[in-house]
Structures are given as structure tokens and as C-alpha cells.
Amino acid sequence: QQIRVDQDHRPSGPSIASYSLEGGAFRSRISLDDPVSALQYDPCFGRVIAGTHAGSVYILDQDLGSYDRLEPGLEGAPCMIRSFHVRKELHVVAAAQKRVACMTPARVLWSASIDGMCANALVMDSKLYITAWMPDACGGIDSGSSSIMVFDALSGEGRPGAPLFGTYAFGPL
């Protein structure tokens, strides 16, 4: 089954549609309150995880029939969603530009601020690794620094991170 974000068919607002992989036949659709900003499929649990521009996170079954809606307090639209499993329970990490949160379908477990703008996220060995970009005084993409931030994936406790690299702008050539 293939999942696509479909925001052009309104009357009921932004939606996610499901199509079969064999022939592309329409299977189901669900309308959400806001446009989708991030979408992830967890094949182990058969869950579709969607973040919206309003900051909500929806955890849907693969038939898009039932869902859980969480408000993780990200202060912006999730730009990245990752899933992982602990003791056969689904956990979801959603990252916005300045905050990250971890949740289960039942509740938000923790939330933390990010130093810089989230560029990528990865969960491995019970740790959440986030790469963050911090522009310098020029404010451009060609100057600033990147660092890795490390959190305990279950508790949100920060661990020592490290700078990755810096860039510099020298003006027009």
C-alpha cells in the first residue's frame, strides 16, 4: 500500500490518501485539520504518522481508519518524524525547527528545545541524534555552524554533543 499526501482535493481540507501498490487503485482517505508538513510510515506497526502545520501529530492505522492525535507543543510545524520501538510499543519523535518531542500513541513523553534549526534526526541505541544548524551574524546558508545534539530517547535527558563543522562566507568573488 502506498501513502500519498493529497492537499488539492478539498472540500473537507487537507487529506492523506492511500493507494494500492498493485495498479494504484484508491483505497482510503482521511481529512485532517491542517496541511501536512511531515509524513512517515512505520512498517513494523503498520502506522502512518503525520505532522501538520499547526503542530499536531497524528498516528493513523495503515487503512487511515482510526487515529490518535497528539499536541506535543513544538511551537511550529514538524519538519521531521522518526519512529522507533521499545518493548513492542511504538514511539514517535517529531522535530520542528526549534523543538523536539517524543511520544507514544497515548501521550507526549518529553519535549526539549534545540540549539539552532533541526536539519536531521536519527534514533539509534536508545539515543536521539539531532543535527542542528546555527547561522552566524550574516544569517545566510553559507555561513554558520552545524552541531550534533544527543538526547536519551526515552527520558529526553540531554547528553554531551559535539560541533560538526563551520562554514564561512567571504562575499562575492
Side-chain angles (χ1 to χ4, degrees), residues 27-109:
R27 302 214 24 191
S28 62
R29 177 185 319 272
I30 186 168
S31 293
L32 304 176
D33 296 335
D34 290 293
V36 173
S37 61
L39 188 67
Q40 174 83 26
Y41 178 68
D42 184 293
C44 294
F45 279 90
R47 295 287 187 249
V48 177
I49 307 157
T52 67
H53 283 277
S56 301
V57 174
Y58 290 83
I59 302 174
L60 306 112
D61 64 17
Q62 64 187 8
D63 296 324
L64 308 178
S66 64
Y67 66 88
D68 296 294
R69 179 180 174 177
L70 296 161
E71 300 294 336
L74 294 174
E75 300 170 8
C79 58
M80 193 156 317
I81 293 176
R82 300 289 185 258
S83 62
F84 65 101
H85 312 105
V86 176
R87 295 181 189 91
K88 299 184 181 181
E89 182 179 27
L90 174 68
H91 287 69
V92 174
V93 171
Q97 289 301 318
K98 298 285 185 179
R99 290 196 71 75
V100 63
C102 181
M103 60 208 87
T104 67
R107 65 187 178 102
V108 176
L109 300 175

Side-chain angles (χ1 to χ4, degrees), residues 6-15 17 19 29 31:
D6 185 358
Q7 297 177 7
D8 295 326
H9 301 303
R10 298 179 192 239
S12 59
S15 62
Y19 298 85
R29 177 185 319 272
S31 293

Side-chain angles (χ1 to χ4, degrees), residues 62-164:
Q62 64 187 8
D63 296 324
L64 308 178
S66 64
Y67 66 88
D68 296 294
R69 179 180 174 177
L70 296 161
E71 300 294 336
L74 294 174
E75 300 170 8
C79 58
M80 193 156 317
I81 293 176
R82 300 289 185 258
S83 62
F84 65 101
H85 312 105
V86 176
R87 295 181 189 91
K88 299 184 181 181
E89 182 179 27
L90 174 68
H91 287 69
V92 174
V93 171
Q97 289 301 318
K98 298 285 185 179
R99 290 196 71 75
V100 63
C102 181
M103 60 208 87
T104 67
R107 65 187 178 102
V108 176
L109 300 175
W110 59 267
S111 177
S113 62
I114 300 171
D115 297 329
M117 296 180 288
C118 178
N120 204 346
L122 169 74
V123 177
M124 181 174 62
D125 296 332
S126 298
K127 294 180 187 75
L128 169 64
Y129 299 90
I130 293 180
T131 54
W133 173 255
M134 179 66 79
D136 69 0
C138 292
I141 194 165
D142 55 353
S143 61
S145 61
S146 181
S147 62
I148 190 162
M149 300 176 68
V150 183
F151 296 91
D152 181 283
L154 295 176
S155 71
E157 179 183 331
R159 302 206 174 169
L164 293 175

